[in-house]
Amino acid sequence: MPAVSKGDGMRGLAVFISDIRNCKSKEAEIKRINKELANIRSKFKGDKALDGYSKKKYVCKLLFIFLLGHDIDFGHMEAVNLLSSNKYTEKQIGYLFISVLVNSNSELIRLINNAIKNDLSSRNPTFMCLALHCIANVGSREMAEAFASEIPRILVAGDTMDSVKQSAALCLLRLYKTSPDLVLMGEWTSRVVHLLNDQHMGVVTAAISLITCLSQKNPDEFKTCVSLAVSRLSRIVSSASTDLQDYTYYFVPAPWLSCKLLRLLQCYPPPEDGAVKGRLVECLETILNKAQEPPKSKKVQHSNAKNAILFEAISLIIHYDSEPNLLVRACNQLGQFLQHRETNLRYLALESMCTLASSEFSHEAVKTHIETVINALKTERDVSVRQRAADLLYAMCDRSNAKQIVAEMLSYLETADYSIREEMVLKVAILAEKYAVDYSWYVDTILNLIRIAGDYVSEEVWYRVIQIVINRDDVQGYAAKTVFEALQAPACHENMVKVGGYILGEFGNLIAGDPRSSPLVQFNLLHSKFHLCSVPTRALLLSAYIKFINLFPETKATIQEVLRCDSQIRNSDVELQQRAVEYLKLSSIASTDVLATVLEEMPPFPERESSILAKLKKKKGPGAVSVPDLEDGKREGGELNGGGERGPDSAAMSASNASTPSPSADLLGIRSAAPMGAAPTSTGSLLVDVFSDAGPAAPSTAVNDDGFLRFVCKNNGVLFENQLLQIGIKSEYRQNLGRMYLFYGNKTSVQFASFTTTVSCPGELQSHLNVQTKPVEPVVEGGAQIQQVLNIECLTDFSEAPLLNIKFRYGGALQNLSLKLPVTINKFFQPTEMTSHDFFQRWKQLSQPQQEAQKIFKANHSMDTEVLKAKLLGLGTALLDDVDPNPENYVCAGVIQTKGQQVGCLLRLEPNGQAQMYRLTLRCSKDSVSLRLCELLAQQF
């Protein structure tokens, strides 16, 4: 940059600034500014031969006045005229004024662009840099349109000076961020990438910022940068502090460039080239080794630079998640920081370990630091560090330490900061549910949670405990006893009253045998809380009272007296008044049988995933580490016991009218929730383990048909699940048409990129089945879910199934999955009711040998009557009662609707309970249908 001559001091500007500073009041300042503006205006208008120095001085004054907060509505043309000056200081002030005061809609923009073009083509490096800085500072779309094609040429030109290359790279980065559609690299891509090999470290540092941004949007175009970045990183890491003297910061060689290189590598999967990967692993090991070395300086700048590189290296190791040795070493290194005296380091270590806890390789290593993390939760003075400690405890939780972690979090809740209590409550609720092997422990934990932090227990939490208690017969009595004892406390939170009212209203009879919890004692205990509660809770308690009349007839008179009092039937709240009047009338006129029918026990809630996860995900925000992604044991979990989104109170009054969710409903419950898994039902766990102990799924093209047969007799559920992806299905059929909804849930915290799905009909199936698909979103964010709709038309009978192929990139690695879609011929059944006479008459008509298919087979599942009936109804046929002479047998009838014809089908299932055998006979008007149905059904019983 040229030296500033003595005459460039602009004494007039210095005097003006001094006058402004000496003003005693705002009015005096405004008066002095107005006087100066009048003087400048007269100079610009009157003196046509104003020299460059004067223009520069007056433009500087205008700029200073603008920075003081005053509007400037003249002087713009004079600033533009300064751009044509050959003096650096005049041109600099002109560009500065334009960068600050000229907007993109100005009429002067064409003149400015022409001046910039002249400077860019001047080959004067100083002027070129000033022009590039102006473009970057303004960054408007008009600037991008004018110069987006010119700047890449300057950047890669062989004769461009290094300082200009740095400015060009950063200018191009700015234009790309504001107008990415206008910055097309095209032919310049490879030459821009090769700037990573430039001899000038400043050029490399500027270029890597540009390449990182471009790589995030177009990774395939810039993938050649990986090997060059590894090579450059290797040279920096292996160099001594004296090798790069100009770029060594407190004995750390090129720390900013090292961090940017490591960040660039996080845009890509591990290198496929063995030599490049080996060199990168060596670099990462060297960085970890240097972190163990004694510091070369006691200055804080030295440790900051050194730790910045270390944390970026650990982020890269976590991103690759493929080097067990590096992951464990990274965990051990972070463990040392957990007790560091520097608060920021403790915070960063906890945050990074949250991510490490999700890796199967380092999960056990993270767990070794549990005592240190618990101590941090209790003793840290900074609330943000305590919050990260809570996050890490949540992430490292598994079956082996769940009770300890939940107990510590409950203990901490009593003194926790109000800002994080709600989030802590959600985490305790999720962990207690996920890892509960003993339902009584789960109930105790949630009730304790309500006692400690009742104000922060959201509806989702207490809804959830009720859903689980209703779905589990073995815990209902214990829950009733526990909540009854909890309600006896003098001070009882309203949420406890809600849970108590609901559970005692449903299961109070299970503890009524004890004189200490007789029906009247239960009622009096609940009613003693009534006047302290809000209107919604009172409404719930009224519902519990009417339930009591059904469970305990001896309480009828007492409860009717309560309902009859003026405070109820004349209540100012319409909801309470209506309930009191209707319940009173119901209890007075309904017979015992009618009352028992209307107020029967709540049915189990539909199997669905917990909405508490959605609440936590929303609380944490996108990208936050909020769900433990690893479980060290094999998958023992089951589909959740309960999970409908309705509130318990409303459900109590409308159990028989519960509606089916719409096809577009959030089938898996993870649209905005943190990732969770699902597996076949089991009593081992309340909530399913997210991962099994298997390693990451390798890309596979083999057709997976594990879930296919489970959907022969049902239309909804989880079709497929692995460590990364969960696929739910919901389908409906009418005549020869069907519609299927597929829900793809990302169970990880990392987005799926390039997500594509293809449905194909192999072989002859193309002429038998017509499947139309709607496209899906190409990106599935971490913890999110997307939906795809398939329209299906049955043209004629078929035996094969369509195939679903899914491809996406996870952490840069391509994942490929093929599944059989559960579209079977029985889905197009229309049930047909028949009398015994009609059935056997039609049975005899279908007597040709090729029309009958029969199979005798051993029972694969329980021979329970209700289960058999449910499966036969799920098949799509009509289950005919009192038709077969043997009441133990089952007979069904239906018509398969295709576009070309109708195929009548009759079914007879003869179970032999003693031998645990079945004989299945099918007669259809088309022989191929008989064989296919017989083959499918034999595997269902």
Side-chain angles (χ1 to χ4, degrees), residues 302-558:
H302 170 73
S303 59
N304 284 348
K306 192 175 173 182
N307 291 330
I309 297 172
L310 175 63
F311 277 104
E312 282 299 338
I314 290 174
S315 295
L316 181 61
I317 292 168
I318 294 171
H319 171 72
Y320 285 167
D321 195 20
S322 59
E323 296 293 330
N325 181 46
L326 288 178
L327 284 162
V328 172
R329 286 193 61 188
C331 182
N332 294 335
Q333 181 64 51
L334 291 172
Q336 296 176 19
F337 287 143
L338 291 180
Q339 295 178 310
H340 199 278
R341 60 186 178 83
E342 177 61 45
T343 304
N344 289 336
L345 279 181
R346 297 198 300 274
Y347 179 94
L348 290 171
L350 289 165
E351 190 174 48
S352 297
M353 287 184 83
C354 282
T355 314
L356 274 174
S358 66
S359 169
E360 62 168 328
F361 301 118
S362 55
H363 183 72
E364 290 301 318
V366 172
K367 283 167 57 180
T368 61
H369 301 284
I370 183 170
E371 296 300 333
T372 308
V373 179
I374 289 172
N375 187 57
L377 185 67
K378 293 177 178 178
T379 61
E380 277 288 349
R381 287 181 294 177
D382 191 312
V383 63
S384 61
V385 181
R386 292 199 297 274
Q387 186 164 2
R388 291 288 81 80
D391 288 344
L392 180 53
L393 282 176
Y394 180 70
M396 69 166 65
C397 188
D398 59 22
R399 291 209 190 290
S400 66
N401 57 19
K403 288 193 175 182
Q404 180 189 3
I405 287 176
V406 168
E408 292 293 348
M409 293 176 85
L410 276 173
S411 174
Y412 172 65
L413 252 179
E414 299 196 34
T415 56
D417 298 81
Y418 294 110
S419 59
I420 64 173
R421 281 196 178 189
E422 184 179 359
E423 187 180 319
M424 289 284 293
V425 166
L426 291 173
K427 286 177 176 176
V428 170
I430 291 171
L431 293 180
E433 183 178 350
K434 177 176 174 58
Y435 296 115
V437 291
D438 178 359
Y439 289 95
S440 59
W441 174 76
Y442 170 73
V443 171
D444 288 340
T445 301
I446 299 300
L447 293 184
N448 204 16
L449 191 64
I450 294 173
R451 181 185 63 79
I452 294 170
D455 288 340
Y456 300 90
V457 175
S458 62
E459 287 186 339
E460 287 83 358
V461 175
W462 72 265
Y463 283 6
R464 191 69 185 140
V465 69
I466 285 173
Q467 291 163 3
I468 288 172
V469 169
I470 284 177
N471 286 30
R472 296 291 311 179
D473 295 340
D474 54 343
V475 79
Q476 289 164 359
Y478 181 82
K481 177 175 176 292
T482 308
V483 80
F484 175 78
E485 293 171 353
L487 285 172
Q488 291 177 343
C492 193
H493 195 276
E494 188 169 334
N495 280 334
M496 186 72 79
V497 178
K498 291 177 181 176
V499 175
Y502 195 96
I503 290 180
L504 292 178
E506 292 291 329
F507 310 115
N509 59 310
L510 299 178
I511 61 170
D514 188 334
R516 292 170 298 178
S517 56
S518 64
L520 210 52
V521 172
Q522 292 183 41
F523 169 73
N524 289 332
L525 179 60
L526 282 178
H527 196 55
S528 68
K529 315 290 183 185
F530 187 88
H531 66 287
L532 300 172
C533 298
S534 63
V535 169
T537 307
R538 292 184 185 187
L540 186 147
L541 288 176
L542 290 178
S543 297
Y545 297 169
I546 190 67
K547 288 266 188 174
F548 267 40
I549 292 179
N550 179 47
L551 290 176
F552 315 117
E554 64 269 29
T555 63
K556 181 174 180 179
T558 305

Side-chain angles (χ1 to χ4, degrees), residues 22 218 225-226 250 311 315 341 355 398 411 419 446 452 468 585 604 625 751 761 824 854 858 877 886 906 923 935:
N22 292 329
N218 306 293
C225 71
V226 172
Y250 287 87
F311 277 104
S315 295
R341 60 186 178 83
T355 314
D398 59 22
S411 174
S419 59
I446 299 300
I452 294 170
I468 288 172
K585 201 68 175 173
V625 178
Q751 71 168 206
C761 295
T824 50
Q854 189 176 86
K858 194 165 186 64
T877 57
N886 184 349
L906 301 178
R923 291 189 180 183
E935 179 186 346

Side-chain angles (χ1 to χ4, degrees), residues 899-918:
K899 187 177 182 180
Q901 65 178 130
Q902 296 182 339
V903 182
C905 301
L906 301 178
L907 177 152
R908 191 179 190 190
L909 181 66
E910 301 169 84
N912 185 333
Q914 291 182 341
Q916 291 290 297
M917 301 281 286
Y918 290 103

Side-chain angles (χ1 to χ4, degrees), residues 118-372:
N118 290 337
D119 284 338
L120 289 178
S121 59
S122 68
R123 311 312 296 171
N124 182 323
T126 305
F127 292 173
M128 291 177 75
C129 285
L130 282 175
L132 289 167
H133 295 167
C134 180
I135 296 170
N137 286 330
V138 176
S140 64
R141 189 168 182 85
E142 289 75 13
M143 289 281 189
E145 289 173 347
F147 303 108
S149 58
E150 175 71 11
I151 297 172
R153 184 186 62 76
I154 296 172
L155 177 60
V156 300
D159 57 346
T160 303
M161 291 187 66
D162 293 332
S163 60
V164 178
K165 283 185 179 180
Q166 293 179 65
S167 299
L170 296 176
C171 179
L172 198 58
L173 174 61
R174 163 72 168 156
L175 294 183
Y176 184 77
K177 286 182 176 179
T178 56
S179 306
D181 56 313
L182 297 178
V183 181
L184 305 174
M185 299 307 295
E187 58 184 304
W188 309 111
T189 300
S190 61
R191 296 174 70 180
V192 169
V193 168
H194 277 83
L195 288 174
L196 293 177
N197 275 337
D198 198 278
Q199 296 297 316
H200 193 277
M201 296 287 278
V203 173
V204 179
T205 305
I208 199 168
S209 297
L210 173 64
I211 294 168
T212 302
C213 186
L214 293 170
S215 298
Q216 289 169 348
K217 297 290 179 69
N218 306 293
D220 291 337
E221 290 183 28
F222 291 88
K223 61 184 178 183
T224 54
C225 71
V226 172
S227 58
L228 296 176
V230 171
S231 175
R232 174 64 77 171
L233 180 65
S234 177
R235 293 202 296 272
I236 295 172
V237 169
S238 60
S239 66
S241 58
T242 54
D243 295 343
L244 300 168
Q245 288 186 357
D246 291 342
Y247 289 87
T248 295
Y249 179 78
Y250 287 87
F251 303 102
V252 180
W256 282 274
L257 180 54
S258 299
C259 289
K260 289 188 177 192
L261 287 166
L262 290 164
R263 205 166 293 159
L264 172 61
L265 292 171
Q266 291 175 48
C267 298
Y268 292 93
E272 296 177 0
D273 187 313
V276 175
K277 186 175 182 180
R279 195 172 184 185
L280 178 56
V281 169
E282 187 179 328
C283 288
L284 295 172
E285 287 178 341
T286 304
I287 293 171
L288 292 175
N289 290 336
K290 285 186 175 181
Q292 300 289 339
E293 296 174 0
K296 297 179 181 178
S297 170
K298 293 183 178 179
K299 298 277 190 181
V300 68
Q301 292 91 337
H302 170 73
S303 59
N304 284 348
K306 192 175 173 182
N307 291 330
I309 297 172
L310 175 63
F311 277 104
E312 282 299 338
I314 290 174
S315 295
L316 181 61
I317 292 168
I318 294 171
H319 171 72
Y320 285 167
D321 195 20
S322 59
E323 296 293 330
N325 181 46
L326 288 178
L327 284 162
V328 172
R329 286 193 61 188
C331 182
N332 294 335
Q333 181 64 51
L334 291 172
Q336 296 176 19
F337 287 143
L338 291 180
Q339 295 178 310
H340 199 278
R341 60 186 178 83
E342 177 61 45
T343 304
N344 289 336
L345 279 181
R346 297 198 300 274
Y347 179 94
L348 290 171
L350 289 165
E351 190 174 48
S352 297
M353 287 184 83
C354 282
T355 314
L356 274 174
S358 66
S359 169
E360 62 168 328
F361 301 118
S362 55
H363 183 72
E364 290 301 318
V366 172
K367 283 167 57 180
T368 61
H369 301 284
I370 183 170
E371 296 300 333
T372 308

Side-chain angles (χ1 to χ4, degrees), residues 824-889:
T824 50
I825 187 64
N826 64 288
K827 300 295 182 186
F828 301 96
F829 257 129
Q830 292 296 307
T832 305
E833 295 291 341
M834 286 186 174
T835 63
S836 176
H837 175 267
D838 292 339
F839 179 85
F840 285 106
Q841 184 179 7
R842 181 61 178 156
W843 185 268
K844 290 177 182 177
Q845 291 173 353
L846 298 172
S847 57
Q848 297 181 22
Q850 66 269 23
Q851 292 178 324
E852 181 179 282
Q854 189 176 86
K855 192 165 188 178
I856 299 173
F857 55 93
K858 194 165 186 64
N860 298 312
H861 308 285
S862 167
M863 299 182 76
D864 181 79
T865 302
E866 294 304 316
V867 173
L868 290 177
K869 287 182 178 180
K871 287 187 176 181
L872 290 170
L873 289 171
L875 181 67
T877 57
L879 182 60
L880 307 180
D881 295 327
D882 303 323
V883 170
D884 198 287
N886 184 349
E888 300 294 323
N889 296 344

